[in-house]
Amino acid sequence: MVGRATLRQGRNRTFALVDLLEAKPHLKPLVRSIIADPTEFAPFPLLHILPNLFEIEFRVRLLSPVNITLHPSSLVCFQRFGTRIESLHLSGLSFPNYLSFARVLLAFTNLRHLTCTSVAIETAGGGAPLTVLKRRLSEQMQLKTLTVDYLAPMRGATVRPFLFSPGLAPSTVEKLRIAARIGPDAFESNLPGWSRLRSLVLRFHHGGRTLTGVVKLLEEFQSPELREVVLELEPATSIPAVLRNLKSFNTDAQPAQDVLKELEHRLLRFSHLSMTWVSPPLRRRALWACELSKHFPVLSQRGVLILKSEPAFPPGHDGAVHALVVSPDSTWIASGSEDCTIILWDTNGKITRQWVPHGYEPVRSLAFSPDGRYLVSGADDGKLIVWELSASGDARQVAVLEGHSGGVTSCACSPDGTLIASGSLDATVRLWDAATFLERRVLDGWPTPEVPSLAFSPDGRCLAGGSSSGVCCVWDIACDSVLHKSVHGERHVNDDDNYYSGPESDPAARHPFTLGNTQLATASGPGVIEVWGVYSEKEKGGRLFALEHLRRVNDVSFSPDGRLLVAAVGNGTVTVWDAHSGTELSVFEGHKDGVMKVCFSPCGKYIASASWDETVRVWRTGDGSCVATCPEFNHVVTRCITFSPDGQLLVSGARNGTVIIRKMKDLVPVDI
C-alpha cells in the first residue's frame, strides 16, 4: 500500500503529522508521497523519519503562480535527508530566476523523475553563477523521465530552455513527455540531441496550428535511440468541431490535408508509435473513429489510431439538435445537428443510418418530400443536398443544389412536391425545381439582410419567411408576388422575460410565426401576437387583430383545421385563442419556467409544449388538462418538438444532442 500525505494548511499541519507518526511508528513506512505548499512546508524532521518517502509534489493553492524562494536551510534539509526522493513534481510555481530553480534541483541529489507544470521564471538571466550551477547540475543529473509543458506563463520565461540545455536533460532522459499548445513557430532552431531518449510523448490540444507544430517538432527532433513516439491530443472542442477546423485550416505553404499526411509520414519513421485522440464523452464513438481514420489511413490499418472517450447515453448527436422532421408516412425520423451529422431513426428510437453529409459543416435544416422518397438537408457550406431514401433506410445522394453564398439555415418542400425552398445567411430566399433540382428563381421582396426561416402554407399556395428582427414576408408562389409584409422593431430580450431565441450556436435566432391557409400569425414586440389575413382582397396584407401578453411569446402555431392559435409564453404558460376572433379560450399552467416550443397533434386533440424547466408536457386541447409530463433525459433543455403525421409519435430533440421518440399510446393510452 502506498500512502500519500497532503499538507496544505500551514506548518502546523506538518508538525501534527510528525506527532502522529511518532505516536504510531508503524505508519512511517507507509508514507511514500507528500503533496505540500512549498511556502508552508517544514522539511525537518518529517523527511528524517520517513524511510520510504520517494515523491514530493510542490503545489500552491492559488490559481496564479506564486513566486517562491526556498530558504537555504530547507535546501540543506532536502540535500541531507531527501536522498531517497526520486520523483519531484512542481506545479503552479514561479521562481525569481534560473538560479533559484537550479538550487532546488541540486537539493535533490537522487532525482530520477521531474515534472514541471505551469512553472515560470521571473527573470531569465543568471550570468556566471548560473553557469557554475549548470555545471554542477550536469555532473549530478540522473533524470530518467521528464515531463514539461510549453504553456507560456503570464509573465517571465519557462523552465524549458534551462532544462533542455546541452549537458542537462538531453544527456540523461530516456522518456520525455511534453504537454503544450504548440504553433508552427514554436521552435526557432533545431532541438539539441537527446542521446539516450527512447520514448517521446506529446500531449497537445488538437487543432490545425497545433498539428503543424508537431510535424515540425518530429522533423527537428534528434535522438538516435528514439523508437517510441506517442501523440495524445486533448480536446479544445468536440471531435466534430476539430474535424471541421482541420478541413478548413490551411497554412501559407500547404493545405490541411497535406499537413495530416506529413504528420502520418513522420510518425511512421518510428517502430513503436500511437496517436490517441482524447475527447469528451461521445454517443457515437465508432462513427468518429471512422472519420478520423480517413485522415490517418495507415495508422488506422496498423491499429495505432485510438479515440479515447467515455460513452454517453442515450444514443444521439454529439452536438445541439438544429433540425427534427418526421417522414409523411411516419416511418422515419431525421435529425440534423451542430455535430455535422444526420441521423435517421426508426419509430422505436433505433439509429438506422448516420452520416456526415456536408463535410463537417453543421446541419441546420431538414425537410422530407411529400412522398417521403427524398430528404433535403441544408448546412453551413451553403449547399442543399437531396438524399433518396430506400425502404431499409439507406440514403443515396442524388443532387447538390448550389447557388447560395452563405450557409443554408432553412429549407422546406411544397405540399405538392414540386418545389424546394431555401433560406440562407446570404439573406436570399430561393426556389428549386424538385424534379430537375435546378434553381427556378430568387424570390423578391425580402427586405432585410437577415436570415429567413421558411414554411409553406398547408395548401401550398404561398411561402412565408420570418427573421429574428420581426420581419415576415408571404409570397404567392404561383405569381411570384409579395402578398403580405410586416416589419417590426428588433426583439429586445430581457433576462426576466424568459425569452428563448435558439441555442448560442445558431447563426440567427428564428422569428416565431405560423402560416395557415388563410392567416399568418407573428410574434413580435414585448409579448404581442399579430394575426394577418393572407388571400382575400379585403384582408390582403391587413392586420386582423393583435393579442397582447405580459411576457414574451417564444413560439406560435395554428391548429390543423386553422380554428385555434396556440402560443408558448415566457411566463411558463401555454395560451390558446380562437384564431378568427382573437378570443382567449384557455391558459394551460404547469410549467415551472418559460415555454420555448409548442405544437398541435395532427388530430388537433393535443398540444405538446417544451420548457426551460427541462420537461415536455402534453395537454388536452379541449379542457386544458395536462395528460403527460415527460422529464427530458439527463436534465437537458428541448430544442425541437414535433408530432408524427399519423399522431402516434411525439419526438423531441435537445441542446445536448439527445433525441427522444415517445409513443403517444404510452403517454395517453385511453385516447390513442
Side-chain angles (χ1 to χ4, degrees):
M1 183 176 69
V2 177
R4 170 172 290 184
T6 301
L7 308 173
R8 291 187 179 176
Q9 297 180 3
R11 301 171 71 90
N12 291 336
R13 183 68 179 268
T14 303
F15 295 130
L17 177 61
V18 171
D19 293 340
L20 174 65
L21 294 174
E22 293 291 2
K24 299 182 179 181
H26 64 282
L27 296 178
K28 294 180 182 180
L30 301 180
V31 180
R32 306 195 64 189
S33 177
I34 288 177
I35 299 176
D37 186 330
T39 62
E40 302 174 345
F41 180 60
F44 186 83
L46 188 60
L47 299 186
H48 181 57
I49 64 175
L50 295 177
N52 294 328
L53 182 66
F54 79 97
E55 179 184 52
I56 289 182
E57 179 176 349
F58 284 144
R59 181 191 303 173
V60 294
R61 288 180 287 175
L62 301 178
L63 294 178
S64 58
V66 174
N67 199 323
I68 67 165
T69 300
L70 294 184
H71 194 273
S73 62
S74 295
L75 296 176
V76 171
C77 285
F78 287 127
Q79 191 169 21
R80 181 174 179 181
F81 302 109
T83 56
R84 294 178 298 274
I85 297 174
E86 297 183 0
S87 180
L88 177 63
H89 189 159
L90 306 177
S91 178
L93 307 181
S94 177
F95 293 90
N97 48 49
Y98 282 126
L99 287 171
S100 297
F101 178 66
R103 291 189 181 106
V104 171
L105 298 185
L106 281 170
F108 295 90
T109 58
N110 198 32
L111 198 60
R112 298 290 191 274
H113 314 284
L114 175 63
T115 298
C116 296
T117 305
S118 300
V119 177
I121 305 297
E122 293 283 342
T123 304
L130 181 60
T131 302
V132 174
L133 287 184
K134 273 188 176 182
R135 184 171 61 252
R136 289 178 54 192
L137 194 57
S138 65
E139 296 171 353
Q140 176 183 302
M141 181 75 73
Q142 302 179 62
L143 280 181
K144 299 301 180 184
T145 64
L146 172 62
T147 299
V148 62
D149 62 32
Y150 274 80
L151 300 178
M154 296 180 63
R155 61 182 185 276
T158 70
V159 298
R160 179 183 61 84
F162 178 81
L163 291 173
F164 282 22
S165 299
L168 296 183
S171 300
T172 64
V173 169
E174 297 178 359
K175 183 173 183 178
L176 175 62
R177 184 181 182 91
I178 298 175
R181 295 182 181 92
I182 289 186
D185 302 322
F187 301 98
E188 299 178 357
S189 59
N190 289 345
L191 291 172
W194 294 69
S195 57
R196 299 185 181 182
L197 189 65
R198 298 177 180 274
S199 175
L200 175 63
V201 179
L202 307 176
R203 188 176 183 90
F204 302 131
H205 287 286
H206 42 60
R209 295 181 63 83
T210 298
L211 295 181
T212 303
V214 173
V215 170
K216 186 174 182 180
L217 185 151
L218 294 176
E219 178 183 1
E220 299 184 350
F221 214 92
Q222 302 173 12
S223 176
E225 299 296 324
L226 184 59
R227 296 291 182 269
E228 179 185 46
V229 174
V230 177
L231 296 189
E232 297 178 356
L233 295 108
E234 295 182 315
T237 53
S238 65
I239 289 292
V242 170
L243 292 173
R244 183 166 68 251
N245 292 338
L246 289 177
K247 175 178 176 290
S248 61
F249 171 76
N250 289 276
T251 66
D252 295 335
Q254 57 187 155
Q257 193 57 42
D258 290 347
V259 173
L260 301 181
K261 289 181 180 178
E262 180 67 16
L263 175 58
E264 185 175 56
H265 173 72
R266 293 291 176 186
L267 286 173
L268 292 173
R269 295 164 45 205
F270 305 102
S271 56
H272 297 85
L273 60 109
S274 68
M275 177 186 287
T276 300
W277 292 70
V278 183
S279 170
L282 292 173
R283 301 174 189 270
R284 296 169 296 160
R285 180 181 173 279
L287 172 68
W288 299 119
C290 179
E291 292 298 319
L292 283 173
S293 69
K294 296 177 182 178
H295 298 286
F296 304 100
V298 180
L299 296 181
S300 178
Q301 291 173 4
R302 293 190 180 184
V304 294
L305 179 63
I306 303 166
L307 176 56
K308 186 177 181 181
S309 172
E310 295 295 326
F313 298 99
H317 290 282
D318 294 299
V321 177
H322 292 315
L324 188 65
V325 292
V326 185
S327 63
D329 62 359
S330 301
T331 300
W332 305 112
I333 297 96
S335 55
S337 168
E338 181 71 19
D339 69 5
C340 315
T341 69
I342 295 174
I343 297 180
L344 196 64
W345 310 77
D346 65 15
T347 57
N348 294 315
K350 180 182 178 181
I351 295 178
T352 301
R353 175 79 191 278
Q354 53 186 332
W355 69 101
V356 181
H358 290 265
Y360 308 126
E361 295 292 343
V363 179
R364 301 288 178 183
S365 184
L366 295 171
F368 276 105
S369 62
D371 59 4
R373 180 182 176 186
Y374 298 111
L375 175 67
V376 183
S377 62
D380 282 2
D381 60 357
K383 301 175 183 178
L384 290 99
I385 300 181
V386 182
W387 309 89
E388 184 177 26
L389 304 180
S390 68
S392 61
D394 289 333
R396 181 178 67 90
Q397 179 180 309
V398 295
V400 178
L401 313 185
E402 299 184 73
H404 285 293
S405 59
V408 175
T409 59
S410 182
C411 63
C413 293
S414 63
D416 63 3
T418 61
L419 295 174
I420 299 171
S422 60
S424 167
L425 284 168
D426 63 10
T428 65
V429 177
R430 297 172 186 264
L431 290 181
W432 312 79
D433 191 298
T436 63
F437 304 121
L438 298 177
E439 182 181 308
R440 282 196 178 182
R441 60 183 180 270
V442 178
L443 293 180
D444 296 326
W446 185 249
T448 174
E450 293 189 33
V451 185
S453 53
L454 302 173
F456 280 97
S457 62
D459 61 9
R461 290 179 57 189
C462 62
L463 174 72
S467 77
S468 59
S469 63
V471 176
C472 195
C473 277
V474 181
W475 292 272
D476 186 313
I477 298 302
C479 62
D480 189 20
S481 63
V482 178
L483 288 175
H484 163 79
K485 178 174 66 179
S486 60
V487 181
H488 307 286
E490 293 187 3
R491 299 173 56 82
H492 299 288
V493 180
N494 297 322
D495 291 339
D496 59 352
D497 281 335
N498 291 319
Y499 172 72
Y500 174 76
S501 60
E504 295 83 348
S505 56
D506 268 357
R510 300 299 178 91
H511 174 49
F513 74 93
T514 181
L515 179 63
N517 284 330
T518 61
Q519 292 176 305
L520 169 73
T522 63
S524 58
V528 176
I529 298 176
E530 295 175 293
V531 179
W532 310 78
V534 175
Y535 292 118
S536 67
E537 291 299 324
K538 180 180 179 180
E539 298 173 347
K540 185 175 180 180
R543 191 177 77 172
L544 302 180
F545 53 84
L547 308 171
E548 296 186 358
H549 249 278
L550 298 177
R551 292 287 185 177
R552 295 279 179 174
V553 177
N554 297 325
D555 196 18
V556 288
S557 179
F558 283 117
S559 61
D561 60 9
R563 297 173 57 188
L564 302 177
L565 177 66
V566 65
V569 188
N571 64 355
T573 63
V574 175
T575 306
V576 180
W577 293 271
D578 184 298
H580 298 292
S581 66
T583 302
E584 182 180 290
L585 300 179
S586 54
V587 177
F588 305 163
E589 297 180 343
H591 282 297
K592 299 178 181 179
D593 208 336
V595 182
M596 301 176 299
K597 294 292 180 180
V598 68
C599 63
F600 278 96
S601 65
C603 64
K605 294 171 59 178
Y606 301 100
I607 295 172
S609 59
S611 166
W612 275 104
D613 66 7
E614 301 168 355
T615 67
V616 169
R617 288 177 178 255
V618 180
W619 314 82
R620 188 172 281 108
T621 306
D623 58 14
S625 61
C626 180
V627 296
T629 300
C630 310
E632 292 295 75
F633 182 85
N634 201 25
H635 305 290
V636 298
V637 177
T638 297
R639 172 75 173 84
C640 312
I641 187 169
T642 185
F643 285 95
S644 60
D646 64 5
Q648 300 300 308
L649 303 175
L650 176 61
V651 188
S652 60
R655 300 178 72 183
N656 73 341
T658 301
V659 174
I660 299 180
I661 301 171
R662 299 180 173 93
K663 296 185 183 296
M664 284 294 289
K665 66 180 182 180
D666 297 330
L667 301 179
V668 282
V670 175
D671 297 341
I672 300 298

